[in-house]
Amino acid sequence: GDSVTQMEGPVTLSEEAFLTINCTYTATGYPSLFWYVQYPGEGLQLLLKATKADDKGSNKGFEATYRKETTSFHLEKGSVQVSDSAVYFCALSGGSGGYQKVTFGTGTKLQVIP
Amino acid sequence: EAQVTQNPRYLITVTGKKLTVTCSQNMNHEYMSWYRQDPGLGLRQIYYSMNVEVTDKGDVPEGYKVSRKEKRNFPLILESPSPNQTSLYFCASSSGGQGFEAFFGQGTRLTVV
């Protein structure tokens, strides 16, 4: 079946540091890839997405590129802020389970300190 | 405002006492699903529904029931809750199809004692 692997957290960075959160996936076919963010006490919300190979998703200074050759979708941001502190989930849909099946990674907690 | 509404937000109950967590969306989405979130395990899908009267099991359906009698509502039913069902539960809806994002509710924190 499909699976998503994220780097273990928590990740602690100083404000304005560069962020990378690694994500790799295993899936059949041509899945869509997503990054969701969960702020404390809230539900998940979409951060960015990519639907085909070499697509780059971007939002709020975050970016991720769909790399089919390395089955990866790493999240990056050039300069993090305290307000970026949250849990980040990599996810895919459209693999062996179809588009109704979303498979999530385990989440990576990011803490940004002033 | 487009939203997915879950109730209650917090619930403490005793083993074996039937409970229902409600979920409602106002976006006319066909696809709805339930997840549970546990530390170190991420989100795991419990059940999903592709339309009214169409439901199917996700990855961890044991001990749960769902129904989809109306397009906007998708309640999660625990007929006989057990302590291993203590978790954070999320309802989500989407239009379905390639690349369509899921919209999540605020979550329901359930404790079964």
Side-chain angles (χ1 to χ4, degrees):
Chain A
D2 304 332
S3 66
V4 175
T5 303
Q6 288 181 237
M7 61 188 289
E8 292 281 333
V11 174
T12 302
L13 296 174
S14 297
E15 205 165 22
E16 299 184 3
F18 184 85
L19 168 71
T20 300
I21 300 178
N22 290 335
C23 170
T24 57
Y25 68 91
T26 302
T28 57
Y30 302 93
S32 295
L33 302 175
F34 306 84
W35 278 100
Y36 284 86
V37 58
Q38 183 181 32
Y39 297 103
E42 297 184 11
L44 281 72
Q45 54 187 276
L46 181 69
L47 180 60
L48 55 83
K49 68 181 182 183
T51 58
K52 61 182 187 295
D54 300 324
D55 267 2
K56 177 186 283 188
S58 61
N59 186 25
K60 299 181 181 179
F62 291 90
E63 293 183 340
T65 301
Y66 190 143
R67 301 286 188 201
K68 192 165 178 63
E69 64 275 15
T70 55
T71 62
S72 65
F73 193 54
H74 305 320
L75 182 68
E76 296 182 335
K77 186 175 186 182
S79 176
V80 294
Q81 305 300 312
V82 172
S83 57
D84 294 326
S85 297
V87 181
Y88 293 81
F89 291 90
C90 186
L92 70 83
S93 71
S96 60
Y99 285 106
Q100 68 274 17
K101 179 76 170 69
V102 182
T103 300
F104 287 87
T106 54
T108 302
K109 184 175 183 179
L110 170 66
Q111 182 178 14
V112 181
I113 54 178
Chain B
E1 179 189 355
Q3 59 185 3
V4 177
T5 304
Q6 291 178 232
N7 280 297
R9 291 290 308 277
Y10 302 91
L11 180 59
I12 301 174
T13 190
V14 297
T15 299
K17 185 176 181 181
K18 180 179 178 179
L19 66 92
T20 299
V21 183
T22 63
C23 174
S24 180
Q25 51 95 3
N26 63 0
M27 294 167 279
N28 201 37
H29 285 164
E30 292 187 347
Y31 174 61
M32 297 184 74
S33 59
W34 277 101
Y35 296 87
R36 59 179 289 173
Q37 182 179 11
D38 300 291
L41 297 176
L43 277 81
R44 293 177 293 169
Q45 191 177 49
I46 302 171
Y47 268 94
Y48 63 92
S49 169
M50 296 179 70
N51 214 324
V52 175
E53 303 292 1
V54 180
T55 64
D56 209 345
K57 297 177 181 179
D59 297 320
V60 288
E62 294 76 21
Y64 304 94
K65 285 177 57 176
V66 293
S67 69
R68 188 93 181 272
K69 293 182 169 52
E70 305 166 282
K71 197 171 188 178
R72 63 182 292 128
N73 296 323
F74 191 46
L76 179 69
I77 304 157
L78 284 71
E79 295 266 358
S80 182
S82 63
N84 64 11
Q85 293 178 297
T86 293
S87 187
L88 179 58
Y89 291 86
F90 288 101
C91 179
S93 73
S94 77
S95 306
Q98 183 182 17
F100 282 92
E101 70 178 280
F103 291 82
F104 284 81
Q106 295 278 72
T108 296
R109 185 165 292 282
L110 172 65
T111 302
V112 183
V113 297

